[in-house]
């Protein structure tokens, strides 16, 4: 079947197998170009490993550090009529590349929040690897079924206390207008914390520790974002920010639990980037397209793979924590020489001057690339095997 992009709001409902494979291959090349990574982990579990930051973490660990990887994700396989989700094709391509490089890779498709998934992964670690020495927690999910109570929680992106009005970009049409987001109500905060907070991260580590599957010196990472003040009402001080605060609470709890093994838990604050998760946040895509323009001109623009390469190559052995103990991969984004022009442009930007001030083309092409479209060297007129399997899943 020939696969073309079908964009619906902020998602693309199709994905291109060869294009996703090329996207994975390009990321592998970025890591290999930096040469081998030394001092990093050798047996890595990535929870949320199929797209965005999790996929890039898996690639950096495997192809930089030669690590065996286990990846957990929630993706839809394709069938005769409908293409799979991008993360499915990414994972298929990752496994093929890993096998060709002689690297162990095994993937699990299902609900990472469930006890069943944890049991499946634990059985695989026992059978294949003995222990893991790094756990990456990179889930972005709109809902969670609690494994103990069966309660279903929904994560929302809302300000707290009062409504928030700011500029917003329709990334499909290039129209800059205004959006007003009503404040969180009822138990929105608690629900968002239940989905995107740290409870499940802790449950994963507890389950692994209980089975003695955590090697001495293990490090575990969960990802967060802070960003500039203009986004704080919807991000840092909003419902999602409360969930990220909860990650920091759990990071301290996990530090205590890992200390007897000489292990360490980290929250890594990463750069704002186009991913399936970030494109759903109001206001943020306009900020990202203004940011890309300035950072590309500055020569410091990074994508998920460069960020995760930096995490494993530099910060794994030299974390350089901030004053509250977080790793800051958003350091370049937050430099005054980047933020000042971005914020100045934020106040000036309109539909009319969008092309001059913002990297809307970069935003749109990054978005399409997430689904395997617009990659160089891919024949988009060729017949695609949309029902392809992820080798370890079948
Ligand atoms: P993403 O949407 O690209 O990836 C989410 C991953 O989670 C995918 O692998 C998906 O399959 C998996 N997933 C979702 N629900 C699942 C479930 N129930 N069970 C198993 N797997 C599930 O998102 P991303 O942007 O890479 O976000 C990853 C983390 O990075 C999040 O914590 C996010 O807040 C953080 N972060 C993102 C940005 C950004 O700008 N994108 C910046 C800083 C931090």
């Amino acid at each position: 079947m020939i696969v073309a992009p079908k964009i619906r709001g902020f998602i693309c409902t199709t994905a291109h197998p060869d294009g996703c494979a090329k996207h994975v291959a390009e990321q592998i090349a970025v890591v290999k170009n930096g040469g081998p990574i030394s001092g990093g982990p050798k047996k890595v579990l990535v929870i949320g490993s199929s797209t965005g930051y999790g996929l890039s973490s898996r690639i950096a660990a495997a192809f930089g550090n030669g690590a065996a990887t286990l990846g957990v994700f929630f993706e839809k396989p394709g069938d005769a009529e409908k293409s799979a989700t991008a993360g499915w094709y990414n994972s298929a391509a990752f496994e093929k590349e890993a096998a060709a490089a002689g690297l162990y890779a095994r993937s699990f498709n299902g609900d990472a929040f469930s006890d069943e998934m944890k049991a499946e992964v634990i059985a695989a670690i026992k059978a294949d690897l003995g222990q893991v020495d790094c756990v990456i927690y990179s889930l972005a999910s709109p809902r969670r079924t609690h494994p103990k109570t069966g309660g279903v929680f929904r994560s929302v992106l809302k300000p707290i206390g009062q409504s928030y009005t700011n500029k917003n970009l329709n990334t499909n049409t290039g129209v800059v207008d205004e959006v007003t987001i009503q404040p969180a109500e009822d138990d929105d905060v608690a629900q968002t914390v239940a989905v995107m907070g740290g409870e499940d991260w802790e449950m994963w580590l507890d389950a692994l520790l209980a089975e003695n599957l955590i090697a001495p010196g293990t490090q575990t990472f969960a990802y967060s974002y802070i960003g500039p003040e203009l986004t704080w009402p919807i991000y840092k001080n909003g419902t999602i920010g409360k969930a990220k605060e909860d990650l920091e609470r759990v990071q301290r709890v996990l530090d205590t639990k890992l200390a007897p093994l000489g292990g360490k838990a980290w929250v890594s604050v990463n750069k704002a980037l186009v991913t399936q998760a970030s494109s759903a946040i109001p206001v943020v895509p306009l900020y990202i397209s203004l940011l890309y323009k300035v950072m590309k001109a500055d020569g410091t623009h990074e994508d998920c793979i460069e960020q995760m390469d930096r995490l494993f190559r530099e910060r794994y052995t030299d974390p350089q924590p901030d004053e509250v103990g977080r790793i800051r991969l958003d350091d370049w984004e937050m430099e005054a020489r980047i933020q000042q022009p971005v914020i100045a442009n934020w106040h000036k930007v309109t539909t009319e001057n969008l092309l001059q001030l913002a990297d809307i083309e970069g935003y749109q092409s990054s978005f399409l690339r997430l689904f395997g479209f617009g990659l160089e060297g891919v024949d988009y007129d060729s017949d695609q095997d949309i029902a392809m399997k992820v080798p370890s899943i079948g």
Side-chain angles (χ1 to χ4, degrees):
M1 181 182 282
I2 290 169
V3 188
K6 269 192 207 145
I7 295 173
R8 300 272 177 276
F10 48 74
I11 63 156
C12 179
T13 60
T14 52
H16 197 275
D18 284 359
C20 288
K22 182 75 193 312
H23 194 203
V24 168
E26 286 185 4
Q27 294 195 48
I28 292 170
V30 168
V31 176
K32 283 190 169 168
N33 280 344
I37 295 175
S38 58
K42 290 294 180 196
K43 296 176 183 178
V44 180
L45 168 62
V46 184
I47 302 156
S49 66
S50 53
T51 56
Y53 274 115
L55 172 66
S56 297
S57 306
R58 192 177 192 187
I59 291 172
F63 290 91
N65 208 54
T69 59
L70 298 142
V72 181
F73 47 78
F74 206 6
E75 301 293 343
K76 273 209 187 84
D79 56 30
E81 275 103 53
K82 204 170 175 326
S83 73
T85 49
W88 181 264
Y89 296 138
N90 290 340
S91 302
F94 173 86
E95 282 198 7
K96 285 175 197 160
E97 297 265 11
L103 296 168
Y104 171 96
R106 190 161 161 187
S107 305
F108 303 83
N109 189 33
D111 184 8
F113 296 125
S114 70
D115 286 344
E116 292 74 21
M117 178 54 81
K118 292 180 177 77
E120 220 184 299
V121 171
I122 281 170
I125 297 171
K126 281 184 185 168
D128 297 353
L129 299 178
Q131 289 187 316
V132 291
D133 59 359
C134 178
V135 180
I136 301 286
Y137 192 81
S138 186
L139 289 188
S141 174
R143 76 187 66 79
R144 171 178 175 221
T145 302
H146 197 280
K148 308 298 174 206
T149 65
V152 177
F153 300 102
R154 277 167 220 292
S155 150
V156 294
L157 294 156
K158 292 185 185 174
I160 295 173
Q162 55 196 32
S163 67
Y164 169 61
T165 300
N166 213 327
K167 288 181 175 175
N168 191 50
L169 168 66
N170 180 324
T171 51
N172 300 321
T173 60
V175 171
V176 178
D177 54 15
E178 239 180 31
V179 66
T180 296
I181 307 144
Q182 295 308 319
E185 36 185 41
D186 306 327
D187 59 351
D188 278 345
V189 171
Q191 296 241 0
T192 306
V193 171
V195 180
M196 289 297 287
E199 187 187 23
D200 184 58
W201 184 25
E202 187 176 358
M203 283 180 165
W204 270 100
L205 267 295
D206 282 347
L208 294 165
L209 282 164
E211 299 285 341
N212 192 27
L213 300 180
I214 293 290
T218 290
Q219 298 197 48
T220 182
F221 299 81
Y223 299 144
S224 186
Y225 183 65
I226 296 178
E229 273 185 52
L230 67 88
T231 64
W232 284 5
I234 185 70
Y235 203 97
K236 178 175 169 288
N237 296 338
T239 50
I240 184 72
K242 292 291 164 202
K244 296 300 185 188
E245 272 173 30
D246 190 59
L247 275 187
E248 295 187 25
R249 175 190 66 78
V250 167
Q251 177 268 323
R252 292 186 289 272
V253 172
L254 290 177
D255 252 4
T256 311
K257 292 183 177 178
L258 292 172
L261 291 167
K264 181 83 187 85
W266 293 104
V267 166
S268 173
V269 182
N270 298 346
K271 181 190 176 192
L273 282 172
V274 183
T275 65
Q276 293 188 44
S278 70
S279 55
I281 308 176
V283 178
V284 167
L286 179 57
Y287 168 71
I288 289 181
S289 46
L290 293 166
L291 178 73
Y292 277 23
K293 182 91 171 182
V294 174
M295 290 194 86
K296 284 180 183 175
D298 187 63
T300 48
H301 174 71
E302 296 173 295
D303 215 326
C304 288
I305 193 60
E306 287 85 3
Q307 283 263 297
M308 294 300 99
D309 184 78
R310 201 144 66 89
L311 178 68
F312 283 99
R313 197 176 292 280
E314 294 175 10
R315 302 303 175 89
Y316 205 85
T317 47
D318 179 18
Q320 303 169 34
D322 68 8
E323 67 291 350
V324 293
R326 300 170 297 211
I327 290 177
R328 300 300 296 263
L329 290 170
D330 65 341
D331 47 356
W332 299 350
E333 169 184 354
M334 299 315 291
E335 292 265 0
R337 68 165 198 287
I338 302 295
Q339 285 297 315
Q340 277 162 5
V342 170
I343 303 308
N345 288 343
W346 177 273
H347 295 297
K348 280 189 252 167
V349 71
T350 60
T351 305
E352 289 66 41
N353 63 20
L354 183 71
L355 279 174
Q356 288 94 61
L357 299 183
D359 183 19
I360 179 71
E361 286 155 19
Y363 186 97
Q364 287 169 335
S365 75
S366 294
F367 179 78
L368 283 171
R369 287 165 60 85
L370 298 178
F371 305 93
F373 297 105
L375 284 109
E376 225 174 277
V378 174
D379 178 1
Y380 288 100
D381 295 324
S382 68
D383 194 34
Q384 295 292 298
D385 174 15
I386 56 172
M388 70 157 50
K389 308 270 187 238
V390 173
S392 75
I393 296 175

